[in-house]
Amino acid sequence: MALIANTQMAPTKMDLIVEMAQRELKAQAQLAGFFSDKSSFAVKGVKSVSFPKLSSFSVLDRSSGSAGTEQVVTASVDTLDLNKNKQVLWVIDPSDEIQSTLNWELETVRLAASAHGRQFDRDLVDAAMLARTEVSATGDITRDLVLEMIEYLSKNFARKDQVALFISPAQRTAMLKISEFTQAQIFGNAVIPTGTIGSVYGVPVVEAPILTDDEFFMAERDGLAFALQKAPAYDEQKAVQYGAGAMIRTLDQLYGVKALQIAQGTAAAGKSALIIGYNDGV
């Protein structure tokens, strides 16, 4: 009779744990789907990923019988460093685990994956905050600031179907207090007909709990890029110094994040033409 025991089950168990971790991380990393994924370029052996950035042509008049004016397209690069080597490392004391009805192995993997997801979002937000053009006024989001952000991105030729507004829970509350967004009699139809913010002036609104109370920003997909060089990986080994059966476990990943379109269009030096957000008054 064939016996399926721990030796045969071990690889399957590890695969299941990794799959669960990746599902949980994807669920917690809410913002990745709104930005440009360059992971296919983050191959083994590279420490950074470079993206070509080309200048544009201008359309000129040519007089009859005269030669046209030759133009030159220049090229530069944006470089995304793969320098975010993130890890969660933990040990479960076997004496405590055996006295608990909780499946600590699976629960701790789930918690570690959730932490990775939140950190990934925070890294995206931090990159956006560093490269954002600040709106003209400090304080909570207003109708005028929403319109200002839309205008800024439009002037920089952002693709309207790739733009989203990201707000903290506190800024969601602020938006729901804006009469222009909630009172149907102002526009005939409410922009926000219920407490759920779907879109404002055609721009999808995303509530992101990872944002701090003051934070909000609007961005186009190509304003921010990320690249995963090593997808979330799980491993474990014996840690007998903590008792018989103890295991030390790790969940880690390697990636990079980079704001793009720096100093292009109407953006100042060091700022992205495709990201604009709150003014911290600094």
Side-chain angles (χ1 to χ4, degrees):
M1 179 178 67
L3 175 64
I4 299 177
N6 190 59
T7 301
Q8 288 76 27
M9 292 176 64
T12 303
K13 171 187 168 185
M14 189 70 74
D15 291 341
L16 289 173
I17 289 176
V18 171
E19 182 185 7
M20 183 193 73
Q22 291 178 341
R23 283 201 313 268
E24 182 68 20
L25 191 150
K26 185 176 181 181
Q28 293 298 322
Q30 301 174 347
L31 304 185
F34 293 95
F35 299 109
S36 185
D37 184 356
K38 304 295 185 181
S39 299
S40 60
F41 298 103
V43 297
K44 179 176 170 50
V46 302
K47 295 182 178 180
S48 62
V49 176
S50 295
F51 314 100
K53 184 168 61 178
L54 303 179
S55 62
S56 61
F57 284 120
S58 298
V59 178
L60 305 175
D61 288 325
R62 183 183 65 83
S63 300
S64 178
S66 302
T69 302
E70 296 178 357
Q71 298 182 53
V72 176
V73 173
T74 59
S76 57
V77 295
D78 280 325
T79 301
L80 187 159
D81 293 325
L82 301 166
N83 57 359
K84 297 191 180 298
N85 189 11
K86 303 295 185 176
Q87 180 188 48
V88 178
L89 185 72
W90 73 97
V91 178
I92 302 171
D93 191 303
S95 298
D96 296 331
E97 183 180 18
I98 202 170
Q99 294 178 346
S100 174
T101 57
L102 187 67
N103 187 331
W104 277 95
E105 181 179 9
L106 293 181
E107 285 301 311
T108 52
V109 170
R110 184 183 64 81
L111 291 172
S114 295
H116 271 291
R118 292 191 300 272
Q119 182 60 52
F120 191 85
D121 274 358
R122 189 64 241 180
D123 288 335
L124 286 171
V125 169
D126 287 345
M129 292 298 98
L130 284 173
R132 79 189 187 281
T133 293
E134 293 186 349
V135 294
S136 58
T138 59
D140 289 341
I141 195 167
T142 64
R143 181 201 65 172
D144 288 344
L145 292 181
V146 171
L147 293 172
E148 180 183 336
M149 289 187 285
I150 293 173
E151 180 180 351
Y152 173 84
L153 294 180
S154 294
K155 286 182 175 179
N156 287 314
F157 301 98
R159 296 169 296 172
K160 293 178 175 58
D161 62 339
Q162 301 293 313
V163 172
L165 171 61
F166 304 90
I167 59 173
S168 68
Q171 293 304 312
R172 176 184 183 273
T173 300
M175 286 193 73
L176 291 175
K177 293 179 180 179
I178 300 174
S179 60
E180 289 90 344
F181 292 158
T182 56
Q183 295 180 18
Q185 67 268 27
I186 293 178
F187 290 117
N189 292 300
V191 180
I192 305 171
T194 69
T196 300
I197 299 179
S199 63
V200 174
Y201 300 129
V203 177
V205 180
V206 180
E207 181 182 353
I210 201 66
L211 292 169
T212 61
D213 285 353
D214 294 338
E215 291 178 332
F216 61 87
F217 69 99
M218 190 178 290
E220 199 242 65
R221 176 179 295 273
D222 286 340
L224 196 62
F226 65 89
L228 280 165
Q229 189 169 40
K230 183 173 75 172
Y234 172 84
D235 207 351
E236 60 185 30
Q237 68 178 28
K238 291 184 179 297
V240 294
Q241 65 270 34
Y242 295 100
M247 303 289 289
I248 185 168
R249 297 178 169 92
T250 183
L251 185 68
D252 52 61
Q253 58 179 336
L254 178 61
Y255 59 90
V257 176
K258 170 74 173 180
L260 305 178
Q261 298 299 312
I262 302 299
Q264 300 297 300
T266 64
K271 303 300 180 181
S272 171
L274 298 177
I275 304 174
I276 181 171
Y278 83 110
N279 186 331
D280 58 10
V282 176

